[in-house]
Each structure stands twice: as C-alpha cells, then as structure tokens.
Amino acid sequence: MTRSVTWRRLALSLSMLVLLAACGTGGEPDTDDAEPDVDDTEDVDEDADDPDGEDADDADGEDAIDDEDTELSGEITFTTLQLSPDFDEYLEGVIADFEAEHPEVEVQWTDLPFEGAQERLLADASAGTLADVVNLNPDLAFPLASEGEFVDLDDAGADVRDDYVEGAWDSFRYPGMDGAYGYPWYLSTEVTMYNTALLEEAGLDADDAPETFDELFDTARAVAENTDARGMHPALENRFVIDLVKLGVDITDEDATQATFNTPEAVAHVEELVSLYEDGAVSPDAVTEGHRQEIEAYQAGNIALFPSGPNFLNIIEENAPDIAETTQAAPQIEGPAGVTGMSVMGLMVPESTENPDAAHAFAQYMTNEENQLAFAEETLIFPSIVAALEDPMFTEPDEDGDFAEAISVAAAQLPDAANLRPVVVDDEVNNAIISNVQSAMLGDMTPEDALADAEDEVDAILERRTE
Amino acid sequence: MIGRRWYTPWLFLAPSLVLLGVFMWWPVLNTSVLAFTDTHTLRGGGFVGLDNFRTLLQDSFFWNALGNSALFTVLVTPALMVLPLLLAILVSAKLKGMTFFRVVFFSPVVASMVVAALIWGWLLRSDGLLNFVLERLHLINEPVRWLSDPSLVMISVALVTTWKGLGYYMVIYIAGLQNIPEDLYEAAAIDGAGPLRRFWSITVPLIRPTMLLVGTLVTLNAIKVFTEAFVLTGGGPNRASETLVLYIYQRGFSGLELGYSSAMSLVLFLVVLGLTLLSQAATRRRANP
C-alpha cells in the first residue's frame, strides 16, 4: 500500500517536474512576517482607492453569477493531467459544488496520464474534439495554442485577470501571438534545498545557503572536496536552458525564429559546468542524467544541493526521512537577470467549445481563491491567485521544520516569479542544446564549439517550423 | 458438405483480420501515404513527392540514428542467439532444482522494460554495483563510464536488452532441444563422443532452425529498439545512443513533423521487411539444401 502511494506520489511529482521550470530570485523573498503585513496594507490601499471596494467586488461577482444562473446549461468536458487517482476526491468535490451552483450544467471529467497526454491531445485537437476545459502547462499547450486552438483570455477573462499572479498569466503568452491563453491553476517554484549535514561536514555554515550561481558552484566544490558526496547534479535536461535565462541569455529572438543563446555568458556557464565536472563536483554519470536521477542522488545523500520544487520534499520524506530531516530550504538561486522562475499549470478553453460560457465559468471556478487554497491543503502546490498566496497557510505555515520553511520561501517568491523556460524549447530543441553541452562536459568539444553547434541545430529546427 | 457456406472460413478469420487490419495494415498504409506528404500533426499538409526522402539522405542525425540502431542490432543478435542456448542446455540438465533456475532466468522477461532499464541504470553508474565488482576484482583501475562514454553507451544499452531477453529465447531453445531425439546422444556416447563433441555434432546442427528463428526475432526486435535507450541515457551523450525509433519519435511527437517521421518509419519498415525476407530465404535454403 505504502509503496503504491509512494509510486503514485513519484508519478505525480514527475509530472509536476515537467512543469517545473524556472529559477532566479527576484530580490530577497521576505519569508518572514514582514511581507504579509505589507501585502495586507496593499489590500487596504486598494480597497481605499476603490470606495466601497468590497461591494464593487460583490457586485461583479453577482453579475457573473446572475449570468451563470440564468444562462449556464448543458454538458462540458474537462480533462486534467495526471491528477487521478490522488486528487479524485478533491476534484469531484469541486465539480459537485460547481454543479450544485449551476444545476443545469453537467461536468464530465477525464484525467490523462502524463505519459501519452500530448499525443492524445494532438489527436483530439486535429479531430476537433478537445475537451471544453483542458488542463495543460505552457509548453504542452504551445503547439496547440500556436495553431489558434485556444480562446484568448485577455478578452474572455478580462474581469478576473488581475486576481492571478501576473507572471503566471503571462506564461500563457506565445511568441508572435497577442493574448494569453490559459487561466493559471496551480504553481510550483524552485527553492534551493540542501543537506545541512553535508554542508557542515564540508566546513560550511549550514545557515548560509548559496544564493547566486557563483555561491552555488563554490558550495558544490567545497562539498565535493571535503566529503564523500558530490556537490550537486546539473540535471541539464531540466535546468540548463532556464539557468541560461537567469544568466540573462535570450534563448531565441522575440519571434522565436532564430537562436540567440551563443553568448559569452552562455560560454562562461558551459565552461563552469565543464570545470565542475572535471573537479568532481558533479558525478561523471550526471552528463546523461536528468531530474529523476538528481532526486535519487539527493535522497541517497550523494549530493548536497538540490534546487527543485518543494513538492519533492514529500518524496524525500517518504523515501529518505533522515535526509528530509537534515534538509533546509533557501530562496531560489539568483542570476544577474534577477528573475525568479516558476512552473505553471493552467486551464485552457478551446475555440472549438460549444459551451464557452459554462467552460469559462468552470475554469474560473476551478482556479478561484477558495478552491485553489483547498487544493493546496491536499498537496505541496501553490495557488495562482495573488490573494491566496497571502493566506497564513503560506505566510505562516503551521508545520514545524523544513516543509514550513520551504513553503513560505516558495510562496514569498511566487508573486514576482515568471515561467522562464521559453515555450519554444520543447523536447526537440532542448535535446539539440543539451546534446552539445554533453559533449562539452565530456571534453569532446570546446564550450564555444558546442554552443555554436547547438545554435545551428536549433536554427535548423526553428526554420523547419516556420516554413 | 452440409451447411458449408463460402464465407464460413472468413468468419473464423475475421477477428484476427479485423485486429491486424485496424492496428497493423491500416497504420502501415497510412504511414506509407504520409511519407510522401509534409503533414504537420495539427496543420495538415500536402503531397511533396520524394522530398522527405531527399531530406533524409542529407540528414546526418538520421544516419547517426540508423547507425546506432544497426550497431545495437549487431551487438545484441549474436549475444541473444548464443547465450540463451547455453542457458537452455544448462537448465535442461536432469538435475534437481532446474525448474527453479528456469524460473529465475525467465523472470526478467516478465518485468517491464522501463523497470529493467531503471535498475540497470543504477547498476551501471560509475559508483554502481558493476563498477564496484570490477574494481574489487582488480579488472579496472577507475570506474568505467558505462552511461556517459560515447563509445560505451550502446554496449550498455545492448547489455540491458540481452539480460532481459535471455529468458525468452531460452524457452524457445528449450522447446527446440526437446525435439532432438535422446537416442542420438546415447549413440554418440557409446561411440565415445564427449560432451563438447556431442554439442557440436548433434545439438548445434539440429538446433540450427531454432537458432535461425531466434536470430530473426532478435534482429527484428533489435532494429526497433527504443525504451532501453530512452530510459538509460535519453539518447545521449550527444546522440551517441539515439536510435532510429528514438529519433523518429522526437521528430514526430516533439517536432510534429508527421510526414517526415512517416518517411523515416517507412525506411525502417523496409529495413525490417528486407531482413525478414533475407532470413526466410536463409531458412528455406537450410530446409532444402
């Protein structure tokens, strides 16, 4: 039983991993009590600016509900990504509540396992049979969105837009297109988790977590030199492109027609990776490994630093309680670009829907403050509603210890976070880039040549796509 | 003759024909048509003649992937033709407890390839069990980089496939061995033939048809290798273990280039077809020398 739960959790986390993008710390996230106060003040200010603010809000809400009450009817279909069976109860509850509010509407929910989801959605889209509300992340939605499959929510969702975290809303904007195409749903954001025991063994101050790339690499080297463990795992497939963005490198031009990542900053970063590899600060196997092996290595105590979503703490605690015990969380590693990354899940409404009113109402309902807070109670994810992130659940988490720390660190950095992984970097583009970086790390190519080759390969892919 | 209708045999054949038709012939036919178009999964496309095949000739990644698949096949085929035969002979020995070993050797077949590849991923790490053992035996001085050395990764992938396939082909060989009349061995033993001599002069010639069958099955499966490479290395480092199906998958499902990946699939199909015909010809020649 426990094992199957663990595996399901792992599967869930792996699926969340796909949406795990992003890094860079937007300033010092104030994890302490200062922030909620500030935010509270802002709320008050907003209300003050808007005389009778509350009433106005209510009125908006009533209008919407009135519309819905009188007009919403019929059946809508809803697909989610890898949320069943873990969250059956929660999702069925929200659906039941929605149906209770709108007795004429019936919601048919289907969950798609992450594996094969894209294939299925592409087939549905080309057959014109997408669900009325579709759960996707920005990357998975990109091919469909760029074919105009989804409704622009800058228009259709204008009245609720300001409720959402701006960076999350913007993560559904696509190169060469106007508009935003997804209601942000649940979020995750990378924090720097680290093994305090290993840091101490390496003679470092365990409370002084690395905050910049230089500090991260120095810590990794110190751990490798002074302990039996490695410092970190590069998880190229998952992190390389995002790290470049944090370092201020543009992956492509604005229209995503040409690669632009072969810059001195990028070369310096690859050189750094090569030297970490040569110094033994990363494992020799790491070159072809991804995030899965990174989690394994951290759980086994083989690496000291683990920048990743706090949702992985669940897995660590279950599989390696002693490591979880010694784990602390610090804000995301910051690059010169000063941006913080996050991963976003969203709900899209396809143009092909025959019941747009009910579809939008349901998508907004699913992602509203109350329902997202309830979702966050279920698991370690974060709501995309600004007000929900100010809930004491995040600002002053009850739990003692590291989860609480990770939760407040993550929640504090989310309002200013963005989806840093350019949507154009799908598996094929990512593979073209990291394949060459792998060669550089193995010393088969110079960093300059690797990046030049990678850029050529990406250019070829982009050219094919814009043909 | 009573009640026999012309359609009676077809009724019996129908279930298989429908299944084959829907899941084999129709996709093959569809792929063959798509191969001559520039179809994009969402955008559709039009007829482009032989353009895809011209592109393919120039596509160095295609040749790299085809080369990797071929290398994999060359590595795996002899191993899976010989090793399972030796195992089959071992477990056919009339000794106590051989059933246990049959089960043990067969068990990897039942495991999913993903799980097998995950486990081997751990064993093959530079600090994994295999390197540990080799180092303890003083066979190597420093860890072998099974999964990150471009010249070794295909061998590692082939190792996993071989390990997992042993039991399956062993069972086929056990069946083949049971068809060899016992009295041949007895006669040879009376004539003074030792175990090796009996193996070379009786077992090998008589098991040859089975070996050919196994060789054909292994080759056809090997040329389509995907999961092992996908899980173990993701095709890396720098495409050193990117097999043809991996590349087709990437172009088709990530790049959405349905036309182009269909063209590559068609080439793969022709390669498989060619190998099948070749092995059939070989079998026929053996059967009627």
Side-chain angles (χ1 to χ4, degrees):
Chain A
M1 269 331 241
T2 323
R3 183 166 304 165
S4 82
V5 172
T6 312
W7 276 106
R8 265 194 266 129
R9 289 243 169 116
L10 179 63
L12 173 76
S13 307
L14 287 178
S15 65
M16 285 183 166
L17 169 168
V18 179
L19 69 111
L20 242 190
C23 305
T25 314
E28 272 91 72
D30 302 315
T31 57
D32 24 87
D33 305 349
E35 180 143 45
D37 294 345
V38 173
D39 291 337
D40 287 345
T41 325
E42 275 170 12
D43 277 351
V44 174
D45 286 350
E46 274 166 27
D47 288 345
D49 290 346
D50 181 359
D52 224 5
E54 282 232 297
D55 289 351
D57 280 347
D58 284 350
D60 279 332
E62 267 163 27
D63 282 353
I65 288 163
D66 279 343
D67 290 348
E68 286 155 11
D69 278 347
T70 49
E71 289 169 25
L72 293 188
S73 65
E75 188 184 293
I76 52 169
T77 49
F78 171 45
T79 56
T80 54
L81 279 180
Q82 189 107 22
L83 293 178
S84 180
D86 291 77
F87 305 109
D88 284 1
E89 206 179 313
Y90 166 74
L91 287 164
E92 280 161 6
V94 177
I95 290 169
D97 292 347
F98 181 76
E99 287 173 341
E101 275 185 36
H102 308 283
E104 299 296 307
V105 180
E106 195 184 331
V107 180
Q108 296 285 350
W109 169 46
T110 319
D111 186 68
L112 301 179
F114 218 101
E115 203 62 43
Q118 178 155 23
E119 290 82 343
R120 163 81 189 268
L121 290 162
L122 290 170
D124 284 355
S126 53
T129 55
L130 280 173
D132 299 303
V133 178
V134 186
N135 165 210
L136 287 172
N137 66 18
D139 306 356
L140 283 173
F142 175 49
L144 296 168
S146 58
E147 297 299 321
E149 294 281 346
F150 299 122
V151 176
D152 176 8
L153 302 178
D154 277 349
D155 286 338
D159 51 338
V160 292
R161 176 177 165 183
D162 291 340
D163 297 344
Y164 295 91
V165 172
E166 191 183 354
W169 187 270
D170 289 343
S171 65
F172 292 100
R173 298 189 183 281
Y174 294 104
M177 299 181 76
D178 290 329
Y181 296 89
Y183 291 105
W185 194 10
Y186 57 95
L187 310 176
S188 188
T189 182
E190 189 179 289
V191 295
T192 307
M193 291 175 268
Y194 57 101
N195 183 323
T196 51
L198 282 173
L199 255 63
E200 275 160 13
E201 194 186 330
L204 299 167
D205 179 359
D207 289 321
D208 186 20
E211 288 174 359
T212 64
F213 281 103
D214 288 341
E215 288 172 20
L216 178 76
F217 299 146
D218 289 347
T219 310
R221 284 198 178 86
V223 170
E225 261 169 45
N226 301 309
T227 73
D228 289 337
R230 308 274 178 184
M232 55 181 284
H233 194 294
L236 292 177
E237 150 216 324
N238 200 35
R239 195 171 298 135
F240 181 75
V241 166
I242 292 166
D243 283 353
L244 287 191
V245 173
K246 284 190 183 181
L247 289 164
V249 177
D250 291 327
I251 305 299
T252 66
D253 60 3
E254 227 165 75
D255 303 331
T257 51
Q258 201 156 25
T260 54
F261 57 81
N262 184 10
T263 67
E265 293 82 9
V267 171
H269 183 58
V270 177
E271 279 167 354
E272 188 71 63
L273 290 174
V274 175
S275 102
L276 285 167
Y277 179 81
E278 284 169 352
D279 297 348
V282 304
S283 150
D285 304 301
V287 178
T288 51
E289 290 179 344
H291 192 248
R292 169 171 61 79
Q293 289 95 336
E294 183 184 23
I295 305 165
E296 286 168 10
Y298 187 76
Q299 284 178 173
N302 291 339
I303 53 171
L305 296 151
F306 179 45
S308 201
N311 46 318
F312 288 100
L313 281 169
N314 272 331
I315 300 178
I316 298 171
E317 177 146 80
E318 220 157 320
N319 296 340
D322 50 327
I323 301 288
E325 185 71 21
T326 187
T327 295
Q328 271 184 29
Q332 203 174 101
I333 297 296
E334 185 178 7
V339 284
T340 310
M342 68 173 152
S343 342
V344 186
M345 268 292 182
L347 296 180
M348 340 323 238
V349 176
E351 290 279 6
S352 62
T353 178
E354 284 170 6
N355 198 346
D357 293 340
H360 285 287
F362 179 70
Q364 289 172 13
Y365 185 79
M366 198 75 198
T367 56
N368 72 18
E369 180 180 354
E370 183 193 348
N371 285 323
Q372 289 212 58
L373 278 174
F375 198 9
E377 297 270 4
E378 302 273 320
T379 185
L380 265 180
I381 48 105
F382 297 88
S384 53
I385 298 283
V386 180
L389 285 169
E390 290 158 8
D391 190 272
M393 176 180 170
F394 300 109
T395 52
E396 301 154 15
D398 291 341
E399 278 176 278
D400 294 326
D402 309 314
F403 275 39
E405 185 187 18
I407 290 169
S408 56
V409 167
Q413 71 192 16
L414 273 169
D416 301 317
N419 177 30
L420 298 186
R421 190 191 185 90
V423 284
V424 70
V425 181
D426 57 13
D427 285 351
E428 194 185 12
V429 172
N430 199 32
N431 189 40
I433 299 172
I434 63 165
S435 287
N436 289 292
V437 176
Q438 288 173 339
S439 278
M441 281 180 79
L442 292 171
D444 295 339
M445 247 190 214
T446 64
E448 288 85 355
D449 289 348
L451 284 171
D453 281 11
E455 212 175 51
D456 289 345
E457 283 181 38
V458 173
D459 277 342
I461 295 171
L462 296 178
E463 195 188 318
R464 281 206 303 269
R465 292 192 185 165
T466 46
E467 258 171 17
Chain B
M1 291 301 122
I2 307 152
R4 178 173 286 185
R5 304 274 184 276
W6 65 268
Y7 52 78
T8 312
W10 290 103
L11 284 179
F12 282 102
L13 287 171
S16 331
L17 286 181
V18 168
L19 279 179
L20 275 174
V22 171
F23 293 108
M24 279 286 302
W25 299 327
W26 172 245
V28 168
L29 200 74
N30 208 1
T31 306
S32 321
V33 174
L34 284 174
F36 298 93
T37 68
D38 60 355
T39 302
H40 178 275
T41 309
L42 294 167
R43 246 174 274 154
F47 182 73
V48 292
L50 292 173
D51 272 9
N52 285 333
F53 297 93
R54 262 178 235 124
T55 316
L56 200 144
L57 287 175
Q58 316 275 326
D59 183 350
S60 60
F61 298 139
F62 167 77
W63 291 108
N64 169 62
L66 188 64
N68 286 336
S69 287
L71 172 64
F72 176 81
T73 308
V74 170
L75 289 170
V76 159
T77 307
L80 277 179
M81 280 176 79
V82 175
L83 297 177
L85 175 59
L86 301 181
L87 276 185
I89 291 170
L90 279 179
V91 300
S92 296
K94 290 180 183 55
L95 293 172
K96 252 190 160 190
M98 276 306 149
T99 317
F100 171 74
F101 284 101
R102 286 186 190 199
V103 173
V104 168
F105 292 143
F106 189 74
S107 56
V109 178
V110 187
S112 103
M113 183 52 95
V114 176
V115 174
L118 282 175
I119 292 171
W120 274 92
W122 295 324
L123 295 178
L124 292 168
R125 288 179 54 89
S126 55
D127 54 0
L129 188 66
L130 188 62
N131 272 316
F132 177 78
V133 170
L134 292 176
E135 273 179 278
R136 280 303 161 99
L137 293 172
H138 297 284
L139 291 172
I140 52 172
N141 292 325
E142 56 179 49
V144 178
R145 297 183 176 181
W146 295 107
L147 297 175
S148 58
D149 184 332
S151 55
L152 288 179
V153 277
M154 276 326 287
I155 296 176
S156 306
V157 176
L159 192 68
V160 179
T161 312
T162 306
W163 173 80
K164 190 162 172 349
L166 282 179
Y168 182 75
Y169 298 108
M170 176 190 79
V171 169
I172 298 180
Y173 276 126
I174 291 175
L177 287 174
Q178 278 167 353
N179 285 333
I180 302 176
E182 197 60 30
D183 40 3
L184 289 180
Y185 289 105
E186 283 163 13
I190 290 168
D191 289 345
L196 262 184
R197 177 78 204 195
R198 291 201 295 269
F199 174 74
W200 277 118
S201 302
I202 300 173
T203 311
V204 171
L206 290 177
I207 204 79
R208 203 172 276 154
T210 315
M211 284 185 91
L212 244 126
L213 169 73
V214 168
T216 310
L217 290 175
V218 172
T219 312
L220 296 186
N221 282 326
I223 200 82
K224 296 184 290 189
V225 59
F226 173 80
T227 316
E228 299 91 313
F230 187 72
V231 176
L232 274 179
T233 60
N238 205 356
R239 301 180 193 267
S241 57
E242 185 171 85
T243 64
L244 187 51
V245 181
L246 209 59
Y247 186 56
I248 292 174
Y249 170 81
Q250 197 161 68
R251 292 293 290 263
F253 284 105
S254 195
L256 307 182
E257 297 165 86
L258 218 51
Y260 188 62
S261 40
S262 294
M264 288 193 283
S265 303
L266 193 61
V267 171
L268 178 65
F269 176 74
L270 293 176
V271 170
V272 172
L273 189 70
L275 288 171
T276 314
L277 292 176
L278 213 74
S279 74
Q280 269 187 353
T283 320
R284 222 171 291 132
R285 206 175 313 128
R286 294 282 171 199
N288 323 297

